[in-house]
Amino acid sequence: MAHEELLNAWLKDAYSMEMGLVPILKQHADDAKDLPEVQRRDEQHIEETKRHAEMVKACIERRGDSVSSIKTAVGGLVGTMQSVATAPFKDEPVKNCLSDYAAEQFEVACYKALVHTAEQLGDMQTAQVCRQIMQEDLAMAQWIEQHLPTVINYELQQKAAEHNKS
């Protein structure tokens, strides 16, 4: 596969990944109904993720390709990764934070690869788009990391309240 085709394939993977995350993030926002700050940030990230997909789609189309023949392997991989990574946990908000953090880090790594590849091929516009998305995903991962103690404390309080009722 030529380098240009490889970049196009990876961009399609990124598009699929972003689209695959939208329903997962919607569910996580619903699960955070008792954590308004988390729910608001999840809802904001849903919009960011949709925008990321559109930005990647624009790169694909600018490069003369389309998303009509998109494959869903990476999107499925992220969903599988999230379900496997959180299987040992029973508390939705905590497991959602953990899986979202892992997904964001995976996205950051994917976009780093895309930035490097696009730069190597002289496609600075695609590199800049991917760099911007990477920074936003990194910011989301950092937000999750900073707010994880709040979510854990909420779950601990819930469990203590349940235990005290019995």
Side-chain angles (χ1 to χ4, degrees):
M1 179 180 287
H3 294 120
E4 296 286 339
E5 291 173 356
L6 189 58
L7 177 57
N8 288 351
W10 288 349
L11 286 166
K12 287 180 181 182
D13 288 344
Y15 176 80
S16 176
M17 174 178 64
E18 297 289 1
M19 294 302 291
L21 283 171
V22 170
I24 294 167
L25 292 171
K26 284 180 180 177
Q27 182 60 53
H28 291 185
D30 290 346
D31 290 343
K33 65 185 177 300
D34 295 329
L35 295 157
E37 185 179 12
V38 174
Q39 188 174 49
R40 275 192 303 277
R41 187 60 178 105
D42 282 348
E43 289 169 350
Q44 177 186 344
H45 196 58
I46 291 166
E47 295 311 310
E48 288 173 352
T49 300
K50 289 176 182 177
R51 185 173 45 79
H52 293 170
E54 289 305 311
M55 291 167 71
V56 172
K57 181 180 177 185
C59 287
I60 292 166
E61 290 171 349
R62 184 180 44 75
R63 293 179 52 76
D65 209 339
S66 73
V67 295
S68 62
S69 60
I70 203 81
K71 58 183 177 180
T72 58
V74 172
L77 172 65
V78 171
T80 301
M81 177 179 70
Q82 288 194 319
S83 65
V84 170
T86 62
F89 301 99
K90 293 184 179 181
D91 302 311
E92 293 301 315
V94 173
K95 83 173 185 179
N96 291 347
C97 280
L98 296 175
S99 65
D100 289 348
Y101 182 79
E104 294 305 319
Q105 294 294 351
F106 182 80
E107 285 183 278
V108 167
C110 290
Y111 284 109
K112 276 186 182 184
L114 283 166
V115 167
H116 179 78
T117 305
E119 287 175 345
Q120 292 298 307
L121 296 174
D123 185 347
M124 297 309 166
Q125 191 173 352
T126 295
Q128 182 54 38
V129 167
C130 292
R131 190 176 290 107
Q132 178 185 341
I133 294 170
M134 180 181 69
Q135 291 301 320
E136 291 177 11
D137 287 336
L138 185 57
M140 183 62 185
Q142 291 168 341
W143 188 93
I144 294 167
E145 186 175 2
Q146 291 168 355
H147 290 82
L148 184 58
T150 301
V151 176
I152 293 169
N153 289 340
Y154 167 80
E155 285 298 324
L156 292 173
Q157 291 169 356
Q158 293 299 110
K159 296 305 172 204
E162 288 173 15
H163 183 358
N164 290 338
K165 286 180 183 177
S166 51

